[in-house]
Amino acid sequence: MATVNYEVRDGIAILTLDNPPVNGLGAGVRTAFKANYEKGAADDAVKAIVIAGAGRMFCAGADIAEFGKPAPKGTPALQPVLDQMEAGAKPVVAAIHGVALGGGAEVALACHFRVAQKGSRFGLPEVTLGIIPGAGGTQRLPRLIDVKEALTIITSGRPLSADKAKALGAIDEVVEDDVLDAAIAFARKLIADGTKPRRCSEQTASIEVARKNSALFGDFRKSMARRNRGLEAPFAAVDCVEVAVNKSFEDGLKIERETFKKLVASDQSKALRYAFFIEREATKIDGVPKDTPAFDVEEAGVIGCGTMGGGIARSLASAGIAVTILDTDEAALKRGMKTIFDNYDASVAKGRLSKDDMEERIGRINGTTEMHDLEDVDIVIEAAFEDMAVKKDLFGKLDKIVQPDAILATNTSTLDIDEIAAATNRPEQVVGTHFFSPANVMRLMENVRGEKSSKKTLATVMKLSKKMGKVGVMVGVCFGFVGNRMLYAYSRQSNFLIEEGALPQDVDKVIYGFGFPMGPFAVGDLAGLDIGYAIRKANPALRPEGKRYSPIADRLVELGRKGQKTNAGWYRYEEGKRTPLPDPVVEQTILDVSKELGIERRKISEEEILQRCLYPMINEGANILEEGIAQRASDIDVIWLYGYGFPRFRGGPMFYADQIGLKKIYDVMSKLYDTHGDWLEPAPLLKELAGKGKGFADYAK
Ligand code: HSC
């Protein structure tokens, strides 16, 4: 049961938050916290109080699932409970282990002193949920530490290590040993020394410094603008910190509370909270119970030392896994290994990785041209050439060489996993692990379950995703799986739009404005137009007979325009720069194609661009859902958030569709279908749900 345990040890009351799994500050905890704090405060035998957390951590903050729902009658809000504790006469010490996040960090800030275990983390991640700290965090932290550092912590949402927090002054002591014992010892010393409570709300040094720096907030807002494009909460947080600097603590708390309430009711916060939960929901796979035995991957083989293979190898090595990377072509192996090392050097030069860490990781990666060197690995991840005959041959050979318990995984983005599995005698140990480029950066792993993949295989690759710090989503077999299948629907329409009257920059502007990091044409140039070209040539499914097909992209490639790498694609690029510049050559190619196809170009509105790009993608999502390729609509959203840069504050395509209402999506799709035909036929599931007034979230197969 959610509670706070109370115990007195030799004049020190210990309040232990006890609400597994993360000691969330739900209604029950707040009620017990208040009661037990008051008990300790009223007991003359108690001279100091320690606040600790049971289990794995101190506290991960408010119970996010409670947001947007009325609190049970009579339960106290967190902020007044913390104000009461801070104002109290007896010193209170926080004993932090694991994490103190959000409301958990605010509990710690309302304590008078903070002791933390080495390795624990302290932070205010509220902005990642579309809200701001609502229990005094925006007012206490800037009074405790340098205001600019406080702004960075609050607006980035990134937790700090205990050591870093101590260096900034947010933590008083970091200990290697048991943190509760250390906090009790700390409290004893306070009692012995007669040290009075040190309240954050009464500190003035840092805000006085900030008051003298008239450019501080303006400069900070400018510096964060690009990174936080489209987001409300980080800017609201800056406003609250500015209030902390310029107004009284009480006024600040009031403004913080009002801001929190406004934000928690916003569409952005709803979408971001949804995004938090669906990532965890995606780990629950039909037919694969949580207790399914899965093995821990310690050694992996990677086949193919190109961009993808190299990125996968780096991700594995970063997770502490020994990697043998195979490329049968000696020169390709050398080139690939050099790229891996160069990329590591670049990470060190940018300060993203220490030299020691780099050396440790490099030490885990071995290159080979001999398949026999893969004999003992736990998993092989194949990232070779995208050709069924090549893959079947490879899997047949691997099956004979690699130890019998090992999993054979393929990074294919288009091919049928079941056909690849059939080339082996262990189809139950064959699975898809579809990474996204650059694989060492992008967090999505679209794991593909074959018809015969065993539960253990599926559980193991999901466990591996987690170990690699990736977000694994399990999907079924179909052409393009979930992400790319929807992507084709999206890029197809963006190509038709430019045939009909828009230009690449018009489409990209709308998509960027919606919140994607780039529009489809700029992405194409980044990825390389020759890649899509090769996929289209190799896959008749992408240009079926009798269906509309835009030849513009192919024409550009045939003109030698392969994207950024040739300084020319959908845009032109100045040497060494990445800014896309509209190019008259491209415009002429587009106009020529429109003319050849007999299309009379027209003015296309921004609304039409957005709907034409997004609604067909959502429509394809409906088909994917009905076919059971994705287990739930929210899995599709996870894929788009982590693999394709769909703006997180919009929740993902399926959530976005539910917010708009499926009836509207269906009506627009029907109209588009009437006008443009073929590719735009409304999905039966979309029609059905729209007719019933339901959303994708209501759909369960
Ligand atoms: C907040 O604190 C607002 C405050 O400012 C207070 C505001 C007061 C209001 C004032 C009004 C005026 N809530 O991630 P895992 C679940 S906002 C509910 O797999 P790990 C999670 O869904 C909060 N549930 O574990 C999962 O459930 P499942 C700010 C939460 O070890 C299970 O716990 N805090 C939850 O990989 C295990 O989670 C944050 O944003 C929560 N707060 O990672 C921290 N946290 O098993 C969010 C977790 O049913 N949490 N759950 O799927 C995390 O970052 C990670 O969970 C940890 C643990 C790093 C804590």
Side-chain angles (χ1 to χ4, degrees):
M1 200 192 76
T3 190
V4 175
N5 304 317
Y6 182 85
E7 148 190 27
V8 179
R9 278 194 219 167
D10 200 14
I12 294 173
I14 302 160
L15 272 62
T16 306
L17 309 171
D18 189 0
N19 185 17
V22 297
N23 296 330
L25 299 161
V29 170
R30 296 196 305 272
T31 307
F33 191 94
K34 181 173 166 61
N36 283 328
Y37 171 74
E38 287 172 355
K39 193 161 146 190
D43 183 346
D44 287 339
V46 168
K47 302 295 177 209
I49 297 169
V50 168
I51 313 288
R56 290 196 293 139
M57 63 191 75
F58 179 74
C59 172
D63 181 345
I64 303 166
E66 278 187 357
F67 290 154
K69 297 178 191 149
K73 238 187 150 81
T75 50
L78 186 59
Q79 199 192 77
V81 174
L82 298 187
D83 295 346
Q84 178 188 14
M85 178 174 82
E86 191 194 43
K90 295 179 186 175
V92 186
V93 180
I96 300 169
H97 76 293
V99 299
L101 294 177
E106 290 174 298
V107 170
L109 287 168
C111 294
H112 305 127
F113 302 94
R114 286 151 292 279
V115 176
Q117 188 133 45
K118 201 168 175 64
S120 58
R121 287 179 299 143
F122 174 92
L124 293 165
E126 283 87 344
V127 292
T128 65
L129 300 165
I131 51 175
I132 57 160
T138 66
Q139 303 304 301
R140 288 195 175 93
L141 192 63
R143 285 178 163 83
L144 183 64
I145 65 170
D146 175 74
V147 171
K148 193 166 170 207
E149 297 286 359
L151 280 168
T152 304
I153 293 169
I154 297 170
T155 58
S156 73
R158 260 195 316 274
L160 309 177
S161 67
D163 284 329
K164 176 87 205 266
K166 176 163 187 285
L168 294 177
I171 301 277
D172 298 290
E173 198 171 288
V174 177
V175 297
E176 304 260 356
D177 300 332
D178 186 84
V179 74
L180 182 57
D181 290 346
I184 292 171
F186 193 99
R188 288 230 160 86
K189 185 153 185 331
L190 294 174
I191 299 167
D193 296 349
T195 308
K196 296 275 169 260
R198 196 191 61 204
R199 302 181 180 93
C200 287
S201 60
E202 292 170 354
Q203 310 303 308
T204 54
S206 58
I207 54 173
E208 272 164 17
V209 172
R211 266 186 214 142
K212 292 189 191 119
N213 179 357
S214 58
L216 174 66
F217 288 97
D219 288 351
F220 194 83
R221 285 189 182 93
K222 260 188 234 150
S223 74
M224 64 184 273
R226 205 179 145 77
R227 216 174 29 258
N228 292 286
R229 187 170 57 91
L231 297 174
E232 293 160 8
F235 296 97
V238 178
D239 294 346
C240 286
V241 174
E242 194 165 18
V243 168
V245 168
N246 295 316
K247 295 202 171 174
S248 72
F249 183 71
E250 289 66 32
D251 283 349
L253 284 186
K254 188 164 166 275
I255 292 171
E256 180 193 80
R257 199 162 51 237
E258 284 162 4
T259 309
F260 180 95
K261 284 187 177 157
K262 194 177 97 207
L263 288 173
V264 85
S266 69
D267 287 344
Q268 284 200 358
S269 178
K270 280 181 205 149
L272 289 164
R273 273 145 44 203
Y274 165 82
F276 174 83
F277 284 115
I278 60 171
E279 178 184 331
R280 285 151 178 91
E281 184 74 6
T283 60
K284 294 160 196 159
I285 303 164
D286 277 352
V288 186
K290 243 195 158 110
D291 56 0
T292 303
F295 62 82
D296 191 32
V297 171
E298 287 173 358
E299 279 182 56
V302 174
I303 296 189
C305 204
T307 311
M308 207 28 130
I312 296 171
R314 281 187 67 184
S315 284
L316 289 161
S318 304
I321 298 167
V323 190
T324 305
I325 184 161
L326 174 130
D327 206 310
T328 42
D329 177 348
E330 179 91 45
L333 180 68
K334 267 200 180 141
R335 250 194 334 267
M337 292 294 281
K338 182 173 179 315
T339 307
I340 293 175
F341 298 149
D342 289 350
N343 286 341
Y344 270 125
D345 278 337
S347 301
V348 171
K350 285 181 195 149
R352 291 191 188 139
L353 192 68
S354 74
K355 215 162 172 350
D356 286 351
D357 281 346
M358 173 181 88
E359 270 156 21
E360 216 173 292
R361 291 175 195 191
I362 285 180
R364 293 194 191 109
I365 306 178
N366 283 307
T368 184
T369 52
E370 286 300 320
M371 201 176 266
H372 277 281
D373 289 336
L374 301 179
E375 269 170 10
D376 298 327
V377 300
D378 304 312
I379 187 169
V380 176
I381 300 174
E382 167 275 317
F385 191 62
E386 195 76 341
D387 178 285
M388 183 55 93
V390 170
K391 300 215 187 224
K392 278 166 94 167
D393 178 56
L394 202 56
F395 274 68
K397 286 184 182 145
L398 286 170
D399 188 33
K400 293 192 182 73
I401 290 173
V402 184
Q403 54 111 344
D405 288 339
I407 290 176
L408 304 181
T410 170
N411 178 54
T412 182
S413 56
T414 51
L415 302 175
D416 184 341
I417 311 274
D418 295 327
E419 204 179 327
I420 298 173
T424 73
N425 287 315
R426 57 176 104 181
E428 67 290 349
Q429 286 155 248
V430 175
V431 71
T433 47
H434 182 208
F435 289 83
F436 289 71
S437 194
N440 53 308
V441 177
M442 298 296 287
R443 290 192 58 210
L444 178 65
M445 254 172 94
E446 204 180 29
N447 296 326
V448 190
R449 77 194 286 171
E451 202 190 329
K452 296 197 175 146
S453 310
S454 71
K455 288 179 195 177
K456 187 174 174 187
T457 300
L458 301 178
T460 301
V461 292
M462 290 300 281
K463 188 171 168 185
L464 175 65
S465 304
K466 181 149 191 185
K467 184 168 177 176
M468 292 169 77
K470 306 270 183 213
V471 178
V473 183
M474 191 60 73
V475 303
V477 176
C478 69
F479 182 75
F481 311 120
V482 171
N484 283 348
R485 183 166 152 188
M486 288 168 74
L487 182 73
Y488 296 139
Y490 162 71
S491 48
R492 192 178 288 123
Q493 293 303 321
S494 57
N495 279 267
F496 293 161
L497 280 168
I498 61 171
E499 280 179 1
E500 289 169 31
L503 289 171
Q505 54 270 31
D506 302 327
V507 176
D508 280 356
K509 182 172 156 243
V510 171
I511 296 300
Y512 180 78
F514 180 75
F516 276 89
M518 283 187 215
F521 297 104
V523 169
D525 278 358
L526 181 68
L529 299 189
D530 50 329
I531 310 265
Y533 183 84
I535 294 176
R536 285 191 298 278
K537 294 281 171 219
N539 293 286
L542 288 172
R543 42 183 315 171
E545 204 61 36
K547 278 203 164 187
R548 185 173 171 188
Y549 178 81
S550 175
I552 304 173
D554 294 345
R555 264 200 217 171
L556 293 181
V557 175
E558 283 152 14
L559 286 171
R561 304 182 69 104
K562 296 183 186 170
Q564 284 190 14
K565 59 184 153 192
T566 55
N567 285 339
W570 289 107
Y571 298 95
R572 68 181 180 85
Y573 299 85
E574 285 171 359
E575 188 59 42
K577 299 205 173 132
R578 287 165 166 237
T579 311
L581 303 167
D583 191 338
V585 177
V586 175
E587 190 170 338
Q588 194 52 54
T589 308
I590 294 170
L591 296 183
D592 290 348
V593 169
S594 303
K595 202 164 167 194
E596 279 166 34
L597 296 173
I599 297 172
E600 196 172 320
R601 292 180 68 80
R602 62 192 167 89
K603 170 127 191 57
I604 300 182
S605 70
E606 295 199 345
E607 187 189 20
E608 181 178 346
I609 290 177
L610 193 66
Q611 293 180 344
R612 268 301 268 293
C613 286
L614 298 188
Y615 290 13
M617 171 215 282
I618 292 162
N619 193 55
E620 197 59 43
N623 286 326
I624 285 169
L625 197 57
E626 188 165 28
E627 289 166 26
I629 298 293
Q631 192 181 311
R632 42 179 100 78
S634 63
D635 286 359
I636 299 177
D637 287 333
V638 176
I639 287 171
W640 272 81
L641 294 182
Y642 285 99
Y644 299 86
F646 197 96
R648 193 172 169 91
F649 66 83
R650 297 195 191 270
M654 308 309 269
F655 181 85
Y656 172 70
D658 279 358
Q659 300 308 104
I660 289 178
L662 296 193
K663 172 152 183 353
K664 174 163 179 203
I665 309 262
Y666 174 71
D667 289 346
V668 172
M669 282 304 298
S670 303
K671 244 196 217 146
L672 289 174
Y673 184 49
D674 289 345
T675 316
H676 303 282
D678 60 20
W679 293 110
L680 293 163
E681 185 172 4
L685 181 64
L686 176 65
K687 183 175 182 189
E688 182 195 323
L689 293 173
K692 290 181 182 159
K694 291 192 168 177
F696 290 125
D698 303 314
Y699 179 73
K701 216 170 162 63

